[in-house]
Amino acid sequence: MSPNAKGAIFALIAFALFSTHDVFIKTLGATYSPVQIVFFSVLLSFPLATIMLMRDATPGTLLPVHPWWMAVRTVGAVVSGVSAFFAFTLLPLTQTYAILFATPLLITLLSIPILGEKVRLPRWVAVMVGLAGVMVVLRPGQTDLTLGHLAAILAAFSGAFASIVVRKIGAEERTVVMLLYPMVANFVVMGAALAFVYKPMPIEHLGMLAVISVMAWIAARFIIAAYQTGEAAIVAPMQYSQILWATGYGLLFFDETPDLYTGVGAAIIIASGLFIVFRESRGGNSDNTPVLRTRSRVGTPSIMRIGDLMTSGRHRDKPLAKDETSE
């Protein structure tokens, strides 16, 4: 089997696990606040996180090189996680994914002021078309926009922001620093808010939270293996397989049937995202390919962001000359 085929299979397994992980979140969300779900999923993931962090032998302290960027990135990661969990509890799975799939479009937009990216007309058109797809899903004026829709939009934006900051400072920050600060922030902030929303949990629900943490950890390892094995242009589009899992799981567990607008909007968003991925990959990967070089999965505070784990990892990117820019 070719490396690209292996990478694609690893990614498909990862996103199947993430989709199953989201079913548990939605199930628990019918009873508990997203704050409580995030807090305990992070708490139960600390043993797994400790194993990862112990592997970072890079000399240095836990003080960030770029404290202000680290602070705003940490805020973005915390907001992204709790917003995505909240959206999963309120919206159909397919609708939540359709909105979260706008993240690569937002990464492209944010790369302009933060990374100095030069975005040419074809990618601008793809971004505008993709955002129009989001409007098709939301149908403002024809359907009521709920807190769930707003949470999904906030998760996509804050997740894109956190990911693009990783692209900006990841080469200079220790992996352990990039991983630890958002995780501790999630634990502290959600722990402080827990007093206002806490409900006692039976052992089986705590077990479900443990499953969420383990699934996120395993899925993250599969995505790392995917990017280390295959080319980013092959691996990145595999995230859209989640819409198939969402459709099946929605029908099976939650009696959710995707409506026509969600299907059409999701197709538009996915098509524009794929265009951006393949456009960036045409000349190889450079520092100016923020979507291809971003490996984070939005809304998984129970495990550290995958982009962080890849900052010092081996991958198959083929750098361009420094003066080259993506179109």
Side-chain angles (χ1 to χ4, degrees):
M1 186 181 296
S2 70
N4 281 339
K6 289 180 181 178
I9 290 173
F10 288 154
L12 288 172
I13 293 172
F15 288 113
L17 288 169
F18 274 131
S19 299
T20 308
H21 156 290
D22 296 334
V23 170
F24 283 93
I25 292 171
K26 188 172 182 64
T27 301
L28 289 170
T31 305
Y32 306 101
S33 164
V35 169
Q36 185 166 340
I37 299 172
V38 171
F39 175 80
F40 281 103
S41 62
V42 170
L43 175 65
L44 294 171
S45 70
F46 268 115
L48 297 172
T50 301
I51 295 173
M52 287 186 182
L53 298 177
M54 288 172 62
R55 298 178 62 185
D56 184 3
T58 308
T61 71
L62 294 179
L63 296 176
V65 177
H66 302 279
W68 289 110
W69 278 117
M70 182 63 68
V72 295
R73 181 201 165 275
T74 298
V75 171
V78 171
V79 172
S80 173
V82 72
S83 298
F85 274 35
F86 189 57
F88 279 122
T89 64
L90 295 180
L91 298 179
L93 287 171
T94 51
Q95 200 167 103
T96 305
Y97 279 128
I99 297 171
L100 293 181
F101 285 161
T103 301
L105 312 177
L106 297 173
I107 288 174
T108 299
L109 291 177
L110 291 173
S111 70
I112 299 170
I114 296 177
L115 298 181
E117 171 84 350
K118 295 180 180 179
V119 176
R120 302 183 190 277
L121 182 61
R123 279 204 291 157
W124 270 117
V125 172
V127 169
M128 293 301 106
V129 170
L131 294 179
V134 175
M135 300 306 291
V136 172
V137 174
L138 296 177
R139 304 193 301 282
Q142 298 184 32
T143 185
D144 293 333
L145 296 182
T146 67
L147 288 176
H149 295 104
L150 295 177
I153 294 170
L154 182 59
F157 182 84
S158 54
F161 184 79
S163 297
I164 208 74
V165 172
V166 172
R167 288 281 295 110
K168 183 174 182 64
I169 66 175
E172 299 176 54
E173 295 285 1
R174 293 180 64 198
T175 301
V176 63
V177 173
M178 298 285 286
L179 304 184
L180 194 58
Y181 277 74
M183 209 169 177
V184 171
N186 260 309
F187 180 77
V188 172
V189 174
M190 298 304 133
L194 188 63
F196 301 99
V197 298
Y198 177 75
K199 290 183 180 180
M201 305 185 80
I203 189 65
E204 59 268 24
H205 287 175
L206 287 172
M208 291 173 69
L209 287 167
V211 169
I212 288 172
S213 299
V214 171
M215 279 189 170
W217 184 81
I218 295 173
R221 303 308 300 178
F222 267 108
I223 290 185
I224 291 171
Y227 276 102
Q228 290 177 339
T229 304
E231 297 175 15
I234 302 299
V235 174
M238 297 302 109
Q239 66 178 305
Y240 298 118
S241 65
Q242 291 177 107
I243 201 72
L244 301 177
W245 288 103
T247 301
Y249 282 146
L251 287 169
L252 184 61
F253 296 113
F254 306 110
D255 197 26
E256 298 173 352
T257 303
D259 60 32
L260 177 62
Y261 290 98
T262 300
V264 172
I268 294 172
I269 297 166
I270 291 171
S272 61
L274 289 174
F275 178 86
I276 290 173
V277 167
F278 290 125
R279 185 79 179 179
E280 287 188 355
S281 67
R282 283 181 57 187
N285 302 338
S286 74
D287 286 342
N288 293 318
T289 56
V291 173
L292 279 180
R293 296 286 296 275
T294 300
R295 283 99 176 182
S296 293
R297 136 77 194 219
V298 172
T300 51
S302 53
I303 198 68
M304 293 80 71
R305 297 180 70 81
I306 297 153
D308 300 343
L309 296 172
M310 294 295 292
T311 55
S312 60
R314 178 179 59 87
H315 49 74
R316 290 170 57 84
D317 291 348
K318 299 175 183 178
L320 295 175
K322 286 294 182 181
D323 58 346
E324 290 183 310
T325 59
S326 57
E327 297 182 0

